[in-house]
Amino acid sequence: MITFTSEIKWADINRCHSEYDEELPELKLGKLTVHEDIFEGGSKFRARISRYLDKRLMEEDAVYFNAKSSGLAQQSSKSTFERRMKISRYTPVVAGKLEMLNSATLQSQPRITEMPSSAGATGEDGAEMALAGEVTPSYWHKLNDNANGAGADLTEIAQDLVRNFMIHGRAYLMLKFPQTTYAETLAQQSEVGAIDATMHSISPKIVDDWLIKEGVLQYIRTHTTEDIRANPWDESTGTRHTWTYYTPTETAAYEAEEMLGAPQPQAAVLRDVTPHDLGVVPIIPMRLPSSLWLMERL
């Protein structure tokens, strides 16, 4: 069991798992960023186009410097490269290929169903089963049409998981259960909404730390950020960081505010600890072998 302290030093909480994001030395960027830029293209790719566009020999400042060229020539080499960056275009062809494979993978859309063991059988929740054919139990039928509680059906969740597999080589499925008063029977739990679970596909970019001990997942940590604004229409004055630890028994959230023009925070402060009864980490990690990681193969 993990004991969460009242605060964690800034340097410690920013330490990520060694397998979180492999850096590509030639680009000085992590694979998570590079693969996402290549897949999405557009403004994301252009924001870092100077990293992706190789300089030609005569665009290297060092060439002019070593040849004792004038300052004008050095400026000319820089201007040439900047002009080439402006006119360069990138079409994310790989995105179309991956989405085509994604659609092919899910031609048979996932559905949560249950087959009755015998005609007229009654489920544990007391709900009558159909006499024949597929039966969707009343206590989880909502997941098929509204899996995440925000309108995304089960197919949309599956598509996002497959997309993350293809781009990043790993995917994460988060399960959430409402915090309600204790109910003894399944019928009572249904009445208070305690079994209205939701599932969410979360980006590998925010899952930055985890611990597996003797083959058992001890925790997974996510790191999210949001702008700090006094009013919704105001400009951002800083960034609020939230690190959330998910364990088999509880969820703990730490926060720190990084304000513009202010010194770096010294530590992240424990804001909330919420117990749960799942007995397992409520995030299911899934990883592909390198041979099936499509973004690495294309």
Side-chain angles (χ1 to χ4, degrees):
M1 183 175 179
I2 301 174
T3 301
F4 293 103
T5 58
S6 59
E7 63 179 33
I8 300 177
K9 291 182 179 179
W10 181 257
D12 292 338
I13 203 162
N14 277 286
R15 190 176 296 116
C16 301
H17 194 280
S18 59
E19 298 178 8
Y20 165 61
D21 192 13
E22 179 185 346
E23 183 172 309
L24 301 175
E26 64 275 17
L27 296 174
K28 296 181 180 179
L29 291 170
K31 277 189 177 181
L32 288 172
T33 298
V34 172
H35 287 171
E36 188 172 76
D37 288 350
I38 291 173
F39 176 80
E40 295 194 10
S43 59
K44 279 200 170 183
F45 186 89
R46 293 206 64 81
R48 285 176 280 272
I49 193 169
S50 61
R51 303 284 187 94
Y52 298 121
L53 190 63
D54 288 335
K55 283 188 176 183
R56 294 168 179 166
L57 179 61
M58 299 309 293
E59 290 172 343
E60 294 284 354
D61 292 340
V63 172
Y64 289 90
F65 180 78
N66 292 337
K68 298 183 179 180
S69 300
S70 66
L72 179 62
Q74 291 188 46
Q75 182 62 37
S76 175
S77 68
K78 181 178 180 182
S79 299
T80 302
F81 184 62
E82 288 178 346
R83 284 197 300 271
R84 199 155 62 86
M85 284 194 296
K86 288 181 181 179
I87 64 174
S88 295
R89 296 290 179 266
Y90 168 72
T91 302
V93 177
V94 68
K97 294 181 178 180
L98 293 190
E99 291 296 4
M100 181 182 66
L101 290 172
N102 194 346
S103 298
T105 303
L106 295 171
Q107 280 185 340
S108 178
Q109 297 185 355
R111 300 287 293 177
I112 298 176
T113 61
E114 180 176 318
M115 295 295 291
S117 57
S118 60
T122 302
E124 292 181 359
D125 64 340
E128 287 293 326
M129 298 289 188
L131 294 178
E134 290 185 344
V135 174
T136 305
S138 60
Y139 56 90
W140 65 28
H141 75 279
K142 295 178 182 177
L143 290 177
N144 285 319
D145 303 315
N146 187 15
N148 68 350
D153 62 20
L154 200 58
T155 300
E156 289 182 68
I157 301 297
Q159 286 176 333
D160 199 55
L161 290 171
V162 173
R163 187 176 298 112
N164 284 332
F165 271 136
M166 292 178 174
I167 299 172
H168 301 299
R170 60 182 189 264
Y172 298 90
L173 183 66
M174 175 186 287
L175 307 177
K176 288 186 177 180
F177 291 84
Q179 296 298 316
T180 61
T181 55
Y182 176 75
E184 186 172 341
T185 67
L186 196 58
Q188 291 172 342
Q189 292 177 31
S190 179
E191 185 176 347
V192 299
I195 54 177
D196 291 337
T198 58
M199 58 178 64
H200 309 258
S201 172
I202 59 176
S203 170
K205 290 190 73 174
I206 71 170
V207 180
D208 66 356
D209 195 19
W210 57 89
L211 175 64
I212 298 175
K213 189 175 181 180
E214 297 179 355
V216 178
L217 183 62
Q218 303 295 311
Y219 73 82
I220 280 180
R221 186 186 73 183
T222 62
H223 177 201
T224 58
T225 60
E226 60 179 330
D227 288 339
I228 299 173
R229 293 186 174 93
N231 297 296
W233 53 85
D234 290 341
E235 290 187 3
S236 172
T237 57
T239 302
R240 180 177 296 108
H241 298 261
T242 302
W243 295 267
T244 306
Y245 290 83
Y246 297 88
T247 79
T249 58
E250 59 191 358
T251 300
Y254 286 83
E255 282 188 4
E257 294 186 350
E258 195 172 14
M259 306 303 293
L260 294 175
Q264 194 176 72
Q266 296 297 310
V269 179
L270 181 62
R271 294 300 186 195
D272 182 60
V273 178
T274 305
H276 63 78
D277 299 323
L278 289 179
V280 294
V281 175
I283 297 179
I284 302 172
M286 295 167 278
R287 184 182 291 268
L288 286 178
S290 57
S291 59
L292 297 179
W293 186 354
L294 289 185
M295 188 61 88
E296 289 278 84
R297 316 298 291 180
L298 296 176

